[in-house]
Amino acid sequence: MELRPWQEAPERDGVLLMAPHELSAGRRAEVLRSVRWSWVHLTSAGADFIDLAEWPADTLLTRSWRCYAAPLAEYALHAVLTHEWRRGTPWQERDTRSAPAPDAPPVPAGASTGGGTGLWGAEVTVAGWGAVGQRLATVLDALGARVTVLRRSPEPGSPFRQTSDLGRALDADHLVVALPLTAGTRHLFDRAALGRARPGLHLVNVSRAAIVDQEALTELCAAGRLFATLDVTDPEPLPTGHPLRSLPTVRLSPHVAWRSRDSDAAFADDFATIWAALADSDPSAAPDPSAAAGSSADPHSSHAPGIAHAPGISDASAPGVPAPAVPVPGAPAPGVPVPAVPAPGAPAPAVPMPAVPAPSAPAPDARALDAVIPGLVPPTSGRRARAAVRALLTPGRS
């Protein structure tokens, strides 16, 4: 397949891979308005870069919903453990203890192990139940933490305690924010909510800064009432003299929680999975709920061998709109072309597609497609995207 810059895309039915965080708002708007895209795939896990109210319903919009779950969960776990052991580690370069008296016990009563208390028995709230929240809750539970999940609509049968009550969510030792930024989550943790939090709460944000009232959080951390580990701030980076930079109760990182050994082009795995789902699924068929329940939970698995991974594409985004479990689609046949991805700084690539008449079958609504097309961001139907992908896979088309 020939890879082209977006400026060379056909007037309709192109597929665009876009790293939204690497473009200004004006540039993003220019790219999206340039042609009539059939499908736009975001390398980010969040879709808050896009004005969904103005999005054309017949242009498929998908996100990289799974590939950053492991590194984000690992970052959050590291933040929680670092806070637990903030007064010192239990090990030393060498044993500096003096020799005990002949009749002394080997470990004196009240001996400190370093000041940390550990996760066993700790109360941890995970806000959000997307790929990151699910992975993190499982890991924390395995280490003995008492996990509560903050969700809009708790579902029966979950192995974890669930709540939709902010007060209950903030009554914890740690709160990990792994929510998408939407109109409903902006400043969800506002001044009033944070003021009711358990004293000493440690807030970890791996999502978007705007979900938390940053000014209120700064004041409460300055007063010693709260602690925070923030991978996201507003703005990024913070001004040189911003108090969050110097507070002893706050740890900052430069929006790198998503990064791991394979993360630079990990979004290509998610793109390939969606590509295969588009190619294999029947646009008029209803999804099979039983198949959707048995999906892979591995955020790095690739079900489309042969996709080009070009190192250097970065993603500084956070978890996006939570998607339900999806069936693992069959891998495309060897030799099926899949778009490559350009190096950093290159224009967002467009994969030119031939114009194909839309199928006659009516397109199902976005909710029905969600179990078929992973990473789908409503309100989109995917009808033209399916036709474009199938046309590309037709022998003789390129």
Side-chain angles (χ1 to χ4, degrees):
M1 175 175 291
E2 180 183 1
L3 182 69
R4 298 182 186 178
W6 64 269
Q7 294 93 335
E8 300 177 17
E11 292 186 2
R12 56 175 290 127
D13 294 324
V15 175
L16 175 71
L17 297 181
M18 185 169 72
H21 57 283
E22 295 185 358
L23 303 172
S24 66
R27 192 66 160 169
R28 286 196 299 269
E30 177 187 359
V31 173
L32 293 173
R33 288 196 304 260
S34 60
V35 299
R36 189 179 178 217
W37 303 106
S38 63
W39 174 16
V40 175
H41 179 75
L42 305 177
T43 65
S44 62
D48 49 285
F49 298 98
I50 304 298
D51 184 357
L52 297 181
E54 300 296 327
W55 191 260
D58 64 342
T59 298
L60 186 70
L61 178 62
T62 57
R63 61 189 180 84
S64 303
W65 83 105
R66 186 181 59 177
C67 62
Y68 308 114
L72 285 169
E74 181 179 345
Y75 175 97
L77 176 64
H78 185 276
V80 169
L81 288 173
T82 299
H83 183 77
E84 287 290 334
W85 293 96
R86 64 191 180 279
R87 297 184 182 90
T89 62
W91 50 80
Q92 298 173 329
E93 291 292 330
R94 61 184 183 276
D95 190 349
T96 58
R97 294 174 296 176
S98 58
D103 58 346
V107 179
S112 172
T113 58
T117 53
L119 277 176
W120 188 21
E123 295 275 357
V124 184
T125 297
V126 176
W129 199 235
V132 177
Q134 293 175 39
R135 194 178 187 99
L136 179 61
T138 301
V139 172
L140 292 170
D141 179 71
L143 293 175
R146 292 195 285 266
V147 179
T148 299
V149 178
L150 176 65
R151 303 182 64 183
R152 183 188 300 113
S153 302
E155 63 182 19
S158 172
F160 303 102
R161 293 179 298 179
Q162 303 173 89
T163 186
S164 58
D165 178 36
L166 276 184
R168 173 66 188 87
L170 287 160
D171 184 18
D173 300 305
H174 304 270
L175 167 67
V176 180
V177 179
L179 289 162
L181 176 59
T182 66
T185 62
R186 184 177 295 274
H187 274 204
L188 177 66
F189 299 101
D190 58 13
R191 182 177 297 276
L194 293 175
R196 297 192 302 269
R198 177 185 296 186
L201 171 76
H202 172 223
L203 186 149
V204 181
N205 194 351
V206 295
S207 184
R208 291 286 190 263
I211 297 174
V212 180
D213 184 335
Q214 184 170 285
E215 182 178 347
L217 179 65
T218 302
E219 293 175 9
L220 289 166
C221 287
R225 290 187 55 191
L226 298 181
F227 296 84
T229 300
L230 307 175
D231 189 52
V232 288
T233 59
D234 184 20
E236 291 181 348
L238 289 170
T240 303
H242 196 283
L244 281 176
R245 286 180 173 268
S246 57
L247 287 176
T249 51
V250 175
R251 290 192 303 271
L252 300 174
S253 58
H255 209 147
V256 294
W258 58 273
R259 179 171 288 282
S260 189
R261 284 179 175 84
D262 296 328
S263 56
D264 276 340
F267 69 88
D269 289 343
D270 284 351
F271 175 76
T273 300
I274 300 171
W275 180 283
L278 284 169
D280 294 345
S281 59
D282 180 352
S284 63
D288 179 0
S290 62
S295 69
S296 167
D298 182 0
H300 291 294
S301 62
S302 172
H303 307 299
I307 187 166
H309 285 233
I313 293 293
S314 63
D315 181 290
S317 68
V321 182
V326 296
V328 177
V336 172
V338 183
V341 182
V351 182
M353 299 289 186
V356 178
S360 57
D365 64 27
R367 288 173 298 176
L369 281 173
D370 207 22
V372 177
I373 303 177
L376 180 72
V377 179
T380 58
S381 70
R383 184 176 178 181
R384 287 196 306 123
R386 291 169 184 270
V389 167
R390 285 176 174 168
L392 183 67
L393 298 179
T394 301
R397 309 300 284 269
S398 62

